[in-house]
Amino acid sequence: MLYTPPPVDPKAPPVRINLLSDTQTKPTAAMREAMARAEVGDEQVGDDPTVNALCERVADLLGKEAAVYMPSGTMCNVTATLVHCRPGDEILAHETAHIIAREGGAHAAIGGFQVTQLKGADGQFTPDTLRRALHPRTRYQPPQTVVTVEQTANIGGGTIWKKATLDEIVAIAKQHGLITHMDGARLLNATVASGISPRDMTAGWDSAWIDFSKGLGAPIGGVLAGSRAFIDAVWQWKQRLGGSMRQAGICAAACIYALDHHVDRLADDHANARALARGLSQISGIEVQEPETNLVFFKPDGAGVAGDKMVAALRQRGVTLAMMDGRIRACTHLDVNASQIEETIGYVREIVRGA
């Protein structure tokens, strides 16, 4: 089987500390209560009041005219490029961006778009790199239509694009007639860590979205925002791709609850990530990237343990992490507490000692 998720190994110990991803969060009891009480309608015909309230709230939060609720962040990205581009158009993105590395080639397979990979440290390209990638409009090259950034930069280590850099990229894009799109998979992690409001962070970006199924702890969904005309066109692709839902207010209620209760607490995840990085860096031979948000990337090879061996050994102790881009990624979230961070550091130390 190449694509089907493998079955859970019945012999593996139960997972007690889940650092695999912030997508692993479970709805809290209070969030489940909010979902159970949600007023619902038919989202496809626009009469689900909870979905409508969520979309209005996110549009206001990001300073956009309108928004649409989607089943996933991938669908937010895919529908955005399907509206912004035409087959044969070129999209400019960092080489590790979701749209290149994590969305199954959907932008090429469905839209026929070329994605040009821009290099840069920590998952980010510089304004100068963008300038150098631009070319004149000519029939010999694809029309450059969209420039996109991923906030935060996942494989870059959960790094935050600085506001000044974002503003400069927007200015370059507008000067050359490009559309700007922000993949906001962990946008609120960036705003909480930086103290910059979501509205200010996304100012100048033609489209942007928030993922609710990561650190915000909702079970499903993202909300894509932009101009009214853009969102109207997105709705056509949402229907075509099977993203139009029915009584989606049950899920939208979880997102509203998350906005009310789970945004400020992202700072706790960032503190736990710093504690994990600090503890790991004190183990001789382990190379750790200092986290800016809730992602901790490290390599234990210098301590005599290959990354995949470390992940397997931790799994046998009930701790789950991921190998990503040749490094181990640990992701803190609302289902991981400070004592579990200390326990994980202890296990890593124990594994290194036994190597």
Side-chain angles (χ1 to χ4, degrees), residues 11 49 75 81 98 107 114 117 128 155 180 214 217 232 244 259 266 280 288 311 343 348:
K11 297 178 182 176
M75 193 173 282
T81 60
H98 281 138
H107 305 270
Q114 175 175 310
Q117 302 183 22
D128 282 341
I155 296 177
T180 54
K214 289 191 169 72
D232 186 57
S244 290
L259 287 175
L266 290 171
L280 292 172
V288 187
V311 169
E343 190 177 351
V348 172

Side-chain angles (χ1 to χ4, degrees), residues 33-239:
E33 237 178 88
M35 295 169 74
R37 293 196 310 267
E39 281 188 72
V40 297
D42 188 335
E43 191 247 13
Q44 273 205 31
V45 300
D47 74 351
D48 189 304
T50 308
V51 170
N52 294 342
L54 172 65
C55 291
E56 288 168 12
R57 185 158 172 185
V58 173
D60 181 66
L61 184 70
L62 300 184
K64 308 303 178 190
E65 291 179 350
V68 58
Y69 185 41
M70 294 290 203
S72 70
T74 294
M75 193 173 282
C76 289
N77 275 339
V78 172
T79 56
T81 60
L82 287 167
V83 170
H84 289 321
C85 303
R86 294 296 174 265
D89 283 2
E90 181 181 346
I91 300 168
L92 298 156
H94 190 271
E95 61 185 348
T96 62
H98 281 138
I99 69 167
I100 295 170
R102 290 291 181 271
E103 294 178 355
H107 305 270
I110 301 171
F113 312 136
Q114 175 175 310
V115 185
T116 294
Q117 302 183 22
L118 304 181
K119 294 185 179 298
D122 300 329
Q124 302 182 25
F125 55 84
T126 66
D128 282 341
T129 298
L130 174 60
R131 285 190 188 94
R132 287 193 297 270
L134 297 173
H135 57 68
R137 297 224 169 225
T138 163
R139 70 178 187 272
Y140 297 108
Q141 291 177 291
Q144 294 180 313
T145 306
V146 171
V147 58
T148 180
V149 300
E150 181 184 307
Q151 183 74 301
T152 62
N154 173 22
I155 296 177
T159 58
I160 301 168
W161 287 79
K162 301 296 184 282
K163 173 67 172 153
T165 303
L166 294 175
D167 289 347
E168 192 171 352
I169 289 170
V170 166
I172 295 165
K174 298 311 175 189
Q175 181 185 352
H176 292 86
L178 271 67
I179 296 163
T180 54
H181 172 68
M182 182 181 289
D183 172 336
R186 295 182 176 88
L187 172 60
L188 295 189
N189 286 93
T191 62
V192 167
S194 66
I196 297 169
S197 73
R199 178 181 286 251
D200 287 344
M201 189 72 82
T202 60
W205 292 82
D206 295 306
S207 53
W209 58 274
I210 295 173
D211 195 327
F212 285 92
S213 67
K214 289 191 169 72
L216 295 177
I220 189 172
V223 177
L224 173 64
S227 69
R228 290 194 193 283
F230 167 74
I231 294 301
D232 186 57
V234 165
W235 261 100
Q236 183 179 39
W237 279 109
K238 175 178 158 87
Q239 187 72 37

